[in-house]
Amino acid sequence: MLSGGLPSGGGGRGRGLCLLRWLGLRLWSRRGTLVFALLWFGSWLFLNGLVLVHRSIMSDYCTDDKSRRILQRLCLDFGDGSVSGDMCEDLCVLGLVEYKRCLYYENGKKVVEARWRGNPVILKSKLENFSSYEPLGILDYQQDAAEDLSPLDVVFYATMEVRNSLGLSEDAEDEEGGANNGSLSKLWGKKLKIREKSYSRAELASLWSLLQQEEYTFLRVLQDLSPHVAKVLGSCGHFYAVEYLTAGHAWNQNIFSLDEVDVPGLQAQDGAGARGRWSTREMVHRIALSFLDLVWHFDNDFNHKLHLCDIKPENFAIRKDLTVVAIDVDMAFFEPKMRDILEQNCSSDDDCNFFDCSSRCDPVRRRCSPRRRNSNLQVICEKIFRPWFSPTLLGAKAGLPLQVELQRAMQDCSETDGGVDEAKAHGGVGQRVHQRLLNILNHLLQEEVAFGEREGITEGKNHIHSALNF
């Protein structure tokens, strides 16, 4: 029996082993299928995410071919009678606008370089297509609404849109303040009132696409009030042309390229140009004085103070006469809108920083103060003047009395909270700092002029880099 039972027992063990192998294979098969499915799903997600990221990046990738196609579509809209503008015929019919190159795309914004009637310009639009802008509502309700709108009607609608874009209510504009030039939107309206005949449907649609672009509105309204903003030269549909200027760069020792400086009336007797008489330091001091003038204009020339919340060399440029110009005003806000931006919930002062504009946190209310605690001048001193006039760059001149005084003034300026309005309540500290810098820079400029006349020195041309208006 024993001998007969052995095969039986061995067969049972064999069948048990087979069963275990079978179960193991089934379990491994299920696990393998699950692992394979997870790997496949993960790969699918990864590839789709990669494609999505690639498309989003490539959609904003600046290319000449895409820029040309965008302008071609604009000309098709002009040919259909959908858009209008003082630049359209030159661009689409006469060929007087020569495309040069794509500069950059950013968050839908398109910026390209061109030459209009032989002069360099920058073409800009916040959105790529004209159809992406909201149309004027009344044009959707009535087919012949354009003919029914008088110039005064257009002034009314445009004024409302300008106020909305700049963050100014009618009450805010009528407040008594530091403005000497009147209401911004009323100044805009004066230009539109000059026209006597009605506006066409294409003109109204084009105007409305431009008014939805905050930068265009800022530049168009302020260019008649201050020399420190870039000039709008013309438009076609939703694209507008601004003057081509040399922008600043942080890695440039002098911030701006100084190779094209040209000031009429200051030529030397031997026929040399202005650059032949001016040293680099003299030009730097003149540019610094223009920065102070910009601050004064933005603090005092409008109904409300204009706050610059993104101050860096790349957002400024100089004209040939060394006038400093704000060329990127996407982060510029008048006082009412600035207050709305700053007044947010907070737990500390760090929560009350909006780029270069900041306020303080009220620990009781847990709300940020609507009043900005720093100023345009303070940030310019910190981010532009102090690196510009650092002892390292000045070299041996850093120990001169006026240079030492300038360093102290820069330090005080960087540490003085509040703008001109706030400073008046504290003994005019901010105003005194502004005047102190003005006096020191004027004295330094006079020294440079006297030194140049005494020695007859013409400074050699430094290595210059021309930066585009980004």
Side-chain angles (χ1 to χ4, degrees):
M1 294 189 55
L2 183 58
S3 60
L6 285 173
S8 174
R13 283 195 297 272
R15 286 193 297 271
L17 290 172
C18 291
L19 179 62
L20 288 174
R21 290 193 190 100
W22 180 78
L23 289 173
L25 288 173
R26 290 292 298 261
L27 289 173
W28 173 252
S29 177
R30 290 178 181 177
R31 289 175 182 172
T33 303
L34 180 61
V35 170
F36 176 78
L38 289 174
L39 287 174
W40 181 87
F41 183 68
S43 300
W44 181 83
L45 284 178
F46 175 76
L47 290 174
N48 277 274
L50 192 62
V51 170
L52 182 63
V53 170
H54 177 75
R55 285 178 178 175
S56 63
I57 292 175
M58 292 303 294
S59 65
D60 253 15
Y61 185 70
C62 189
T63 66
D64 289 332
D65 287 340
K66 184 173 182 180
S67 299
R68 291 180 187 275
R69 288 197 299 271
I70 291 172
L71 295 180
Q72 287 171 359
R73 286 199 298 269
L74 176 61
C75 286
L76 288 176
D77 289 337
F78 174 67
D80 293 339
S82 302
V83 303
S84 180
D86 53 3
M87 193 175 64
C88 286
E89 189 171 356
D90 284 356
L91 173 66
C92 304
V93 180
L94 302 177
L96 297 177
V97 179
E98 178 188 0
Y99 175 87
K100 299 298 290 184
R101 58 172 169 163
C102 180
L103 294 182
Y104 74 96
Y105 298 163
E106 183 179 359
N107 299 324
K109 186 176 184 179
K110 303 295 183 284
V111 182
V112 301
E113 179 188 349
R115 293 187 73 85
W116 185 13
R117 296 180 178 267
N119 298 314
V121 296
I122 304 298
L123 300 180
K124 293 185 176 183
S125 177
K126 185 178 180 180
L127 301 175
E128 179 176 324
N129 298 312
F130 180 72
S131 58
S132 301
Y133 291 92
E134 290 291 331
L136 179 59
I138 194 171
L139 296 180
D140 287 340
Y141 297 133
Q142 302 178 29
Q143 189 64 29
D144 58 348
E147 289 75 11
D148 295 337
L149 285 176
S150 69
L152 287 178
D153 293 328
V154 176
V155 168
F156 172 78
Y157 284 113
T159 299
M160 293 300 103
E161 189 66 21
V162 169
R163 283 175 177 165
N164 179 64
S165 178
L166 300 183
L168 299 173
S169 65
E170 186 173 2
D171 293 338
E173 284 204 280
D174 290 337
E175 288 179 2
E176 292 184 3
N180 299 316
N181 293 304
S183 161
L184 293 172
S185 56
K186 288 178 181 177
L187 285 168
W188 171 273
K190 287 180 180 179
K191 292 184 174 295
L192 297 179
K193 287 178 183 178
I194 297 175
R195 178 163 175 155
E196 296 180 354
K197 64 178 183 178
S198 299
Y199 289 84
S200 68
R201 189 180 186 89
E203 287 175 323
L204 289 176
S206 299
L207 171 63
W208 230 247
S209 69
L210 293 171
L211 290 181
Q212 292 173 56
Q213 304 181 57
E214 293 84 358
E215 183 178 75
Y216 171 84
T217 305
F218 259 104
L219 297 179
R220 189 66 187 86
V221 173
L222 299 186
Q223 68 180 25
D224 295 326
L225 304 179
S226 172
H228 296 291
V229 295
K231 293 186 180 300
V232 178
L233 305 177
S235 65
C236 179
H238 58 302
F239 271 86
Y240 58 97
V242 298
E243 60 181 323
Y244 178 95
L245 294 170
T246 303
H249 270 289
W251 43 258
N252 191 325
Q253 177 177 330
N254 298 316
I255 295 183
F256 302 107
S257 171
L258 304 177
D259 60 339
E260 296 181 356
V261 173
D262 180 23
V263 182
L266 292 177
Q267 282 77 18
Q269 294 180 356
D270 60 359
R275 191 176 60 222
R277 286 197 57 190
W278 285 2
S279 68
T280 298
R281 295 311 299 174
E282 186 178 348
M283 288 189 280
V284 166
H285 293 145
R286 291 182 185 274
I287 295 171
L289 287 169
S290 188
F291 263 113
L292 293 180
D293 190 58
L294 176 147
V295 168
W296 187 261
H297 273 273
F298 287 1
D299 278 352
N300 296 278
D301 277 7
F302 315 125
N303 288 53
H304 300 281
K305 184 183 296 185
L306 180 60
H307 297 274
L308 303 178
C309 294
D310 188 14
I311 292 177
K312 56 187 178 184
E314 293 82 355
N315 290 344
F316 297 94
I318 56 171
R319 294 196 179 97
K320 291 183 178 182
D321 63 353
L322 298 182
T323 299
V324 174
V325 179
I327 57 174
D328 190 337
V329 291
D330 285 336
M331 297 290 289
F333 309 98
F334 284 103
E335 183 73 27
K337 197 167 186 176
M338 187 78 262
R339 287 171 173 259
D340 291 340
I341 292 173
L342 291 176
E343 195 172 19
Q344 305 294 330
N345 294 327
C346 64
S347 57
S348 68
D349 286 347
D350 292 337
D351 298 328
C352 301
N353 295 331
F354 182 76
F355 295 89
D356 288 329
C357 297
S358 62
S359 66
R360 297 189 184 279
C361 180
D362 185 336
V364 178
R365 296 173 56 244
R366 290 189 173 273
R367 296 279 289 178
C368 297
S369 169
R371 185 177 290 277
R372 183 183 175 188
R373 75 173 180 183
N374 61 356
S375 66
N376 292 334
L377 178 61
Q378 181 181 1
V379 181
I380 286 174
C381 284
E382 178 65 30
K383 299 182 70 173
I384 293 181
F385 282 176
R386 287 185 69 179
W388 209 359
F389 295 105
S390 67
T392 304
L393 293 180
L394 289 173
K397 291 185 177 182
L400 298 177
L402 271 178
Q403 295 292 351
V404 172
E405 180 63 19
L406 179 62
Q407 290 295 317
R408 291 174 180 168
M410 295 296 176
Q411 183 71 24
D412 292 343
C413 176
S414 301
E415 297 173 354
T416 301
D417 280 354
V420 174
D421 291 340
E422 293 86 344
K424 289 177 181 177
H426 298 85
V429 177
Q431 202 166 2
R432 288 203 302 271
V433 169
H434 186 281
Q435 187 62 45
R436 182 181 174 192
L437 287 171
L438 193 65
N439 292 338
I440 295 172
L441 287 169
N442 273 316
H443 282 129
L444 285 169
L445 182 59
Q446 291 169 10
E447 281 191 354
E448 290 286 346
V449 172
F451 180 75
E453 290 177 350
R454 193 166 57 245
E455 301 294 332
I457 292 178
T458 300
E459 187 172 288
K461 186 185 294 185
N462 293 327
H463 175 70
I464 300 297
H465 180 88
S466 295
L468 294 172
N469 176 359
F470 277 18

